[in-house]
Amino acid sequence: MAPWGERLLPGPDGGVETGEPDARPEAEIAAEIVAADPKPEGGDGETPPDPVEALTDFVTGVRGTWLRGDRARLRSSGPVGSSRFM
């Protein structure tokens, strides 16, 4: 994690690098954030878009089992053989 005040910037290899702190007054930074366009960016053209319909289809597909957490296919419950600790 970057120290307080340093900016995180995309690196040339796709990683994250730290940059110099933004020296502008807080009010100016806040004004820039408030004035930003809330529309999602168009992307880089190399990956498919993430339409709302894709999320809706996913949620519709898993809504019946999402919270049930079917453990029937698990071969082991983990290192603890029981939920009782003595």
Side-chain angles (χ1 to χ4, degrees), residues 21-49:
D22 194 333
R24 297 178 295 166
E26 290 178 11
E28 186 178 333
I29 296 170
E32 181 180 336
I33 293 170
V34 170
D37 186 358
K39 295 178 192 164
E41 294 182 10
D44 60 7
E46 294 182 22
T47 56

Side-chain angles (χ1 to χ4, degrees), residues 39-60:
K39 295 178 192 164
E41 294 182 10
D44 60 7
E46 294 182 22
T47 56
D50 295 323
V52 172
E53 293 79 18
L55 175 62
T56 306
D57 292 344
F58 171 75
V59 171
T60 301

